[in-house]
Structures are given as C-alpha cells and as structure tokens.
Amino acid sequence: MTRVSQPDTSWCESRDKWAKIWFEKLSRFHGRKPQATWEFTADEVIAYLRDHVRRKTPAWKRLKIIQSLICYRRYVQSAPFDDLTFIRIKLEVLARNEKIKQATVKQSSDDAIEEIEDVVGHIDPREPDVIQNLRRAIRLRHDQLATERAYVSNVRAFMRSRGLKCQADFAAIGAADVESHLTDLAVDGNVAVSTQNRAFYALLYLFQHVLKREMGEVNAIRSNKGKQIPTVLSVAEIEQIYAHLRGVHLLIAKLLYGCGMRISEVMRVGERLGLRV
C-alpha cells in the first residue's frame, strides 16, 4: 500500500505569511490598499524590484520577493502567474551569480591572508590585536627577530602601565603618555640609557607602522644611570689560576683569557683538533 505524505503545515504557513507580507509591501509601494482583489501586473512588480536594486537589496532577497508574489497569485488570488515566471528565472540566475561572486571574493580574501601568513609566519591569534599587528609590521619590513622580541616586550610593558588591552585603546594615547612612561622608567625603574632609548624607539615604531599616525614631541626625563663596568681579575690572580691547571685545561684557560673566546668556541676548536676536553 502506497503511503501518501502529508504536506508540511509549518512550511505552508510560512509561505502564506511571507506571500501576504510582500503583497502588502508591493501595495503600499504603489499607493494601494492591500486587497486581494487587486490584480497587480508584471510591470508593477518590476518597478518595485527596481526600487530594491536602488536600495542595494541582494539578488537572493529579490528572488524571495518574486517567489512570495507568485505564491500570492497562485494560492490567495487563485490567478495565473505566467507573466511573473520570467522575472523569477532572471533573478534565479542573478542570485546564483551573486553567490559565486561572494564565494570568489571570500576565497580571494582567505588566499590573501594565507599569503601574508606565508610571508610573516604564524601570529598567535590569542595575543592582543595591536601586538599581532606589530609583529606583522616588523616581519614585513624584514627586521631582526631580536628587534621583534624587544619591541613586543616594550609595547607590552607600556600597555600594562597604561591599562591598555587592544589597539582601539590607543586612540586616546599620545606623546604625553609616552613621555610619562619613559620618565617612569628613568625615575622609578632606574633603567640604563639604552633601555629607555629602546622603549622610545619601540613606541615610535608602533605609532609609525601600526597606528599610522605621528606620536608627537616627547621630552621625557633622561636616564642618568651610569654604564656598568665589569669586574675583572688582576694579572696576579690570573697567574694563580694558571698555576693550578695542566694540559688541555690550561690551554682552554689561556684561550678564554687571552683571545676573549666563548666556551662554545673553545669547545669547537678542541673538537677540530681531536682534543678530549
């Protein structure tokens, strides 16, 4: 026994609802009362749809309108709708082309993002957007990794001191904030001149290449922390060390002291000479 499926009641209700809604809108557009006795023409529908084109209504939505008006003709007015069919067919083509175009644009956008990622490398999306953009700017300009690490560290410190969370928060930040931050580094942080300078140039870089605006004149209190002079052994102390060494270990000590070599460099020399260190 063949089972006859029942029509989807919810779909029918939705269809009739939208058919009446768009018929009422069409009626108001032409200054008429939304009465089912009005036999609207294809030209009146086209005029209404052209108004939607001027309002930049997408093709898929205009297709919904004509489908609803066809349903109104068919199920409410019980009238022929052949004169509206060619409009529906035309809008089906436009909607399909519109969908293809949108997919192409999205793919192009995705490809562009992938190309940028290929150039600058992976950027952690969990970082604040301003830090992500700073990394991209540095990498696109082919600056050194050490520069990136230093600048990111300096900008993070500035953000903490100012309570900034994202790039939008920088809208109200200017030279006065930078000046105050640099002064704090010198007065409270007692940092070296080079550390204060690096913080300044990191923020200047941020303004120029990420925020795309001038930072303004900065007159911060300059750091006066003296240059650190390393503590070294005297000649007599070095000779005492030599006196307790023999063979390869004595050679290593003399290379380190006399040539200023690093431990790793001395180890590589020993390996090349076949010495057991």
Side-chain angles (χ1 to χ4, degrees):
M1 182 176 179
T2 304
R3 189 173 182 179
V4 180
S5 60
Q6 296 297 320
D8 188 338
T9 305
S10 62
W11 182 86
C12 292
E13 291 175 352
S14 176
R15 177 202 66 193
D16 294 343
K17 172 188 173 184
W18 284 107
K20 291 177 182 178
I21 287 174
W22 286 115
F23 174 74
E24 290 175 359
K25 289 179 180 290
L26 175 68
S27 300
R28 287 196 296 270
F29 177 78
H30 288 287
R32 303 182 66 95
K33 291 183 179 180
Q35 296 176 335
T37 55
W38 176 44
E39 297 178 358
F40 57 89
T41 66
D43 288 339
E44 288 168 325
V45 172
I46 290 173
Y48 180 56
L49 292 173
R50 281 178 176 166
D51 181 67
H52 274 276
V53 172
R54 284 192 291 271
R55 288 189 281 163
K56 301 186 184 303
T57 303
W60 68 266
K61 189 169 185 177
R62 285 180 278 138
L63 177 60
K64 294 291 185 183
I65 294 173
I66 190 62
Q67 289 172 337
S68 294
L69 292 175
I70 288 174
C71 286
Y72 194 85
R73 276 269 195 94
R74 182 177 180 181
Y75 297 106
V76 178
Q77 296 179 326
S78 298
F81 52 88
D82 295 344
D83 58 331
L84 303 180
T85 302
F86 82 97
I87 304 175
R88 176 180 59 77
I89 294 174
K90 177 64 176 178
L91 282 169
E92 285 175 348
V93 174
L94 291 176
R96 185 162 54 249
N97 292 339
E98 182 179 76
K99 186 176 181 180
I100 293 172
K101 183 178 179 180
Q102 289 175 346
T104 302
V105 170
K106 183 179 184 303
Q107 184 61 48
S108 298
S109 177
D110 292 343
D111 291 344
I113 292 173
E114 288 180 4
E115 288 177 6
I116 292 174
E117 290 293 320
D118 288 341
V119 173
V120 305
H122 176 69
I123 302 292
D124 189 348
R126 295 171 297 181
E127 289 186 314
D129 57 349
V130 66
I131 296 297
Q132 294 182 48
N133 293 332
L134 176 61
R135 291 189 188 278
R136 290 189 182 96
I138 292 172
R139 295 179 190 181
L140 286 171
R141 291 172 61 85
H142 304 291
D143 290 326
Q144 297 295 320
L145 178 59
T147 300
E148 177 183 334
R149 289 173 175 169
Y151 282 10
V152 166
S153 176
N154 290 136
V155 172
R156 284 187 182 279
F158 179 75
M159 292 176 68
R160 285 194 299 271
S161 71
R162 279 0 216 195
L164 308 176
K165 302 298 182 182
C166 62
Q167 188 161 327
D169 293 343
F170 279 82
I173 296 297
D177 298 281
V178 175
E179 185 175 303
S180 176
H181 176 68
L182 296 177
T183 299
D184 290 343
L185 290 178
V187 177
D188 298 330
N190 192 30
V191 300
V193 175
S194 59
T195 302
Q196 188 188 42
N197 287 340
R198 190 184 67 188
F200 169 77
Y201 286 114
L203 293 170
L204 180 64
Y205 191 102
L206 178 75
F207 271 80
Q208 291 178 340
H209 302 296
V210 178
L211 304 180
K212 305 294 185 181
R213 60 186 173 91
E214 294 297 323
M215 184 169 68
E217 186 176 355
V218 174
N219 296 307
I221 295 176
R222 305 300 292 170
S223 176
N224 58 6
K225 186 177 181 180
K227 186 175 181 180
Q228 298 296 313
I229 300 175
T231 301
V232 296
L233 299 174
S234 66
V235 174
E237 290 171 329
I238 290 296
E239 289 179 347
Q240 290 179 14
I241 293 174
Y242 285 168
H244 292 82
L245 299 174
R246 297 289 184 276
V248 174
H249 296 99
L250 177 59
L251 175 61
I252 290 174
K254 289 185 175 181
L255 287 172
L256 291 173
Y257 180 74
C259 301
M261 297 176 70
R262 298 184 177 90
I263 290 288
S264 59
E265 293 171 335
V266 174
M267 296 294 288
R268 284 198 294 273
V269 171
E271 291 173 358
R272 291 178 180 176
L273 295 176
L275 300 175
R276 296 182 64 182
V277 180

